[in-house]
Amino acid sequence: MRRLLPEPAGEIDPYDAYGDVKGPWLRVGMVMSADGSVTDEHGWTHGLGGEADFWVFLILRALADGILVGAGTIRSGMVRPARLRRSLRERRGRPPAPIVVVSRSLSLDWTLPLFTAAETPTIVVTSAAALKTAEMPDAVRPHVLTAGDDDVDLGRAVHELRERGLENLVCEGGPMLATSLVEAGLVDEICLNLAPTLMGGGRHTRMLGELAGPAALDPAAVYLDDGVLFLRYGLT
Ligand SMILES: NC(=O)c1ccc[n+]([C@@H]2O[C@H](COP(=O)([O-])OP(=O)(O)OC[C@H]3O[C@@H](n4cnc5c(N)ncnc54)[C@H](OP(=O)(O)O)[C@@H]3O)[C@@H](O)[C@H]2O)c1
C-alpha cells in the first residue's frame, strides 16, 4: 500500500497506518464503488473492493476491541465471526474482537455460526423491552447488552461496551447503523475504501441514509493499493 496523503510514501504497512489512532475511538469502515454504491449487483460487497479492500477490512477488525454490525447486514447471512490470520494474531496478541450486533427487533437467525461458533462470543445490543419478549437460545443470553428501555440508546451502548474494555470500535455498517452512529455524534473517523468499480443505478445503495444536516469531514490520509483508494476522514 502506498500513502498519497498527507506525505507520499511507498510501501507502508496498513496495520501501522491504521493503528496510528489513540483510543478510545469509533471508526466506520466501509467499501464503496466509485459511483457511490456500497453494494454490488448481488446486494453484497464482494464485487466491490477485491483483495486489497479485504486486507484492510481484516486489519480494521484486528485493531478493534469490538466490531459493530447492524442486524440488516447480519440477516444477509454473509457476516462470519472474526478470525485472525496468523500474522494478525501475532501482532494483535489476543483473540479476535467480538462482533457486536445492534438490533431493535432481535429478529435474528440464532443458528448462524456468528452465534454458535464464534471464538470470541458475539455480543447483541438491544433494548430492555425487546429482550423481555425475545426468543433466543440460552447460550446467547449472557452476551446480550441492553442499552435503553424501549429503544436502543447507542450512546449508552458505546459507553457500556467501553466499560467492558471494548474501547476501540469499528462499525462495518450497514448504512442504517452507520447513519445512526453519525447522527448520535459517536463516530470519530470514516475509513472509506473507494473501489475502482462503477455499479450503475440498478442496485445502488448509498453509504448513509438521512442526516439531520450536512456533517463536515476532515481529510486525514489517502492510501492506494491495487486500484483501491483508501480514504480516511475525521469527523469534526
Ligand atoms: N459496503 C460496505 O462496506 C457494507 C457494509 C455492511 C453492509 N453493507 C450492505 O448494506 C446492506 C444492509 O444495510 P442496512 O442499512 O439495510 O442494514 P444495517 O445497518 O446493517 O442494519 C439495520 C438494522 O440494524 C439495527 N439498527 C440500526 N440502527 C439502529 C439503532 N439506532 N438502534 C437499534 N437498532 C438499529 C436495526 O435492526 P432490527 O431490524 O433488528 O431492529 C436495523 O433494521 C446489505 O446489503 C449489505 O450488503 C455494505
Side-chain angles (χ1 to χ4, degrees), residues 29-32 37-39 43-45 48 69-76 102-108 125 151-154 172-178 180-181 203 205:
M30 293 179 75
V31 59
M32 187 172 85
S37 180
V38 296
T39 50
W44 185 233
T45 57
L48 292 178
V69 187
T73 300
I74 301 299
R75 282 186 205 109
S76 72
V102 181
S103 172
R104 283 194 185 89
S105 70
L106 288 180
S107 172
L108 291 159
V125 168
D151 196 5
V152 176
D153 178 338
L154 287 176
E172 294 179 350
M176 210 185 281
L177 178 60
S180 298
L181 290 167
R203 293 210 50 159
T205 309

Side-chain angles (χ1 to χ4, degrees), residues 112-131:
L112 288 174
L114 198 61
F115 300 110
T116 59
E119 181 181 343
T120 305
T122 297
I123 296 172
V124 180
V125 168
T126 193
S127 68
L131 181 61

